[in-house]
Amino acid sequence: MAKSLLKAQNLYHIYRAKQDQASVVALKGVGFEISQREFVAIVGPSGSGKSTLLRVLGGLMRPTAGSVIFNEEFDITKTSEEDLTFFRRHEVGFVFQEGNLLPDLSAYDNVVQSMTLAEVPYEFRKKRALELLDTMGVLPRKNQLATRLSGGERQRVAIARAMANNPRIIIADEPTGNVDFKTSVRLLELFKQLNRDTGMAFLFATHSNHVAGYANRSIELRDGLFLGQHGKDIDLSSLDLSRMVIMDSDNRITLPENIMGQLKEVGSLWNISVVESKKILLTPLEAIAEEQVPIQDSFEQRECPVCGIMNPPEGKFCISCGAKF
Ligand SMILES: Nc1ncnc2c1ncn2[C@@H]1O[C@H](COP(=O)(O)OP(=O)(O)O)[C@@H](O)[C@H]1O
Ligand SMILES: [Mg+2]
């Protein structure tokens, strides 16, 4: 199994009340893990806690409670300011909705600047900045001020800047939030290609299920809680008890995948009862399931699966084409 890159456990975050505002509990016990080289989305409506979670995972903010273990080694929520700054400069690259560029600098200088902060030697900075701008398809725009770039170009430069110090993970908060649909598809394709080519993990937040669909795995956040996971790269053991079951507008509930896995085969019957007014108890109804009569025998006649002619129920061969049942 791939090595764990970031593992968050039981994260809570409370924004304390200021003056007459109420305190907000933005994260209510979130557990989350991303492995090296993974491509993961966090999806949820506005206010669900996506930005808070990304800020905590990227070491931009300490959570009120809980831990975030980086590289199976150290807890970024408990480390010194100095180590945290090193972590942010070298291990993570950030991309925000607005393309976090410095407005008074050119595209090129924006990329160089993040390497200057990380004390990369001058000659190396120049070469790497030009290479990255080229990979992102914005080399011809290198001397433009950030404010003169289009939305899509700004995000490409922001990605180049985020990648400059070769981080282990790019954390992007609504990176396609301010660009049109076509540009957002191109940016997502670029993310995917960079993830494949460089092995950097990508974690991005979006309110759009469509955008989240580009990830190999997406985590759904609702109201500060981890609601479920979608996608092909889901490790069932990572699903924990922190998820909720929510009733939709048609009074239906979708059970988490690990519970579905334990409910045996399709068509098995369960009795649902509510206990202690909070828990749902599922009891197997084996007896009823066994009494169920196969659909085929309940008809007087049987349809031949080969030619479609109706046959008498007792026959072993089709009366029309001779196919064997
Ligand atoms: N700096 C802040 N001060 C107070 N409340 C905040 C702050 N940032 C976010 N919140 C609140 O925390 C909740 C989660 O916000 P956020 O993490 O920004 O969600 P999302 O990114 O999914 O829109 C919201 O109710 C929001 O109003
Ligand atoms: Mg947000």
Side-chain angles (χ1 to χ4, degrees):
M1 225 179 98
K3 203 172 166 190
S4 168
L5 189 61
L6 282 173
K7 182 175 186 173
Q9 280 170 315
N10 232 354
L11 287 183
Y12 284 81
H13 193 73
I14 301 168
Y15 290 106
R16 294 279 168 214
K18 280 188 210 125
Q19 288 144 8
D20 53 349
Q21 288 173 331
S23 290
V24 177
V25 187
L27 299 176
K28 300 176 181 167
V30 175
F32 170 75
E33 186 164 16
I34 180 167
S35 303
Q36 292 183 1
R37 314 179 80 90
E38 261 206 295
F39 192 66
V40 180
I42 292 175
V43 62
S46 172
S48 54
K50 304 182 294 296
S51 297
T52 305
L53 178 59
L54 290 193
R55 269 183 245 138
V56 169
L57 292 173
L60 293 171
M61 195 168 79
R62 288 185 203 264
T64 310
S67 60
V68 179
I69 313 291
F70 172 68
N71 221 16
E72 300 180 1
E73 273 166 8
F74 81 105
D75 186 345
I76 62 165
T77 66
K78 313 274 187 309
T79 193
S80 67
E81 268 316 309
E82 207 180 345
D83 285 352
L84 198 56
T85 305
F86 185 90
F87 167 77
R88 282 195 301 259
R89 280 192 188 150
H90 296 268
E91 315 285 17
V92 201
F94 295 98
V95 178
F96 298 96
Q97 182 171 348
E98 301 293 337
N100 57 311
L101 298 181
L102 298 166
D104 300 332
L105 296 184
S106 68
Y108 170 81
D109 286 333
N110 259 289
V111 181
V112 166
Q113 194 247 3
S114 74
M115 287 185 272
T116 311
L117 288 176
E119 296 171 13
V120 174
Y122 177 76
E123 274 315 301
F124 186 79
R125 274 181 250 164
K126 189 173 168 186
K127 184 165 168 280
R128 177 133 177 96
L130 295 174
E131 269 170 19
L132 282 167
L133 290 168
D134 194 21
T135 308
M136 302 304 150
V138 282
L139 189 58
R141 309 286 283 152
K142 69 178 172 23
N143 295 323
Q144 285 294 331
L145 283 184
T147 45
R148 304 287 298 272
L149 300 168
S150 73
E153 285 168 348
R154 258 203 298 275
Q155 288 306 60
R156 282 164 187 268
V157 176
I159 298 165
R161 186 183 148 90
M163 289 176 64
N165 295 322
N166 240 327
R168 303 285 190 92
I169 181 168
I170 300 283
I171 294 184
D173 195 356
E174 306 261 2
T176 61
N178 264 352
V179 295
D180 60 52
F181 180 73
K182 252 168 105 178
T183 311
S184 80
V185 170
R186 277 199 221 110
L187 281 172
L188 289 160
E189 297 289 358
L190 178 64
F191 278 10
K192 234 180 177 161
Q193 184 205 327
L194 293 170
N195 169 252
R196 272 196 306 262
D197 295 352
T198 66
M200 276 179 211
F202 272 74
L203 175 65
F204 64 99
T206 175
H207 60 269
S208 149
N209 286 327
H210 175 79
V211 170
Y214 275 80
N216 296 332
R217 177 161 75 93
S218 64
I219 319 278
E220 212 174 329
L221 256 192
R222 185 84 55 87
D223 206 12
L225 268 167
F226 179 17
L227 197 67
Q229 293 199 60
H230 313 272
K232 5 184 225 306
D233 287 357
I234 294 173
D235 172 7
L236 287 188
S237 65
S238 74
L239 300 173
D240 57 23
L241 297 172
S242 66
R243 283 152 313 115
M244 298 186 294
V245 171
I246 285 192
M247 197 173 282
D248 69 14
S249 52
D250 293 328
N251 288 341
R252 290 175 311 200
I253 55 172
T254 305
L255 295 173
E257 236 166 296
N258 60 339
I259 294 179
M260 291 298 285
Q262 291 169 35
L263 295 185
K264 298 184 188 143
E265 65 276 8
V266 174
S268 59
L269 289 178
W270 298 80
N271 182 38
I272 299 177
S273 48
V274 178
V275 286
E276 295 163 23
S277 78
K278 272 187 183 158
K279 291 180 191 156
I280 294 175
L281 189 67
L282 292 165
T283 323
L285 287 176
E286 310 279 359
I288 294 181
E290 274 162 22
E291 275 169 24
Q292 290 236 316
V293 189
I295 291 168
Q296 218 174 33
D297 287 1
S298 66
F299 290 110
E300 292 227 315
Q301 291 187 306
R302 287 191 296 179
E303 186 180 338
C304 170
V306 179
C307 69
I309 286 280
M310 297 309 285
N311 284 266
E314 70 277 7
K316 287 192 176 145
F317 295 93
C318 172
I319 51 170
S320 167
C321 69
K324 204 173 163 188
F325 293 122

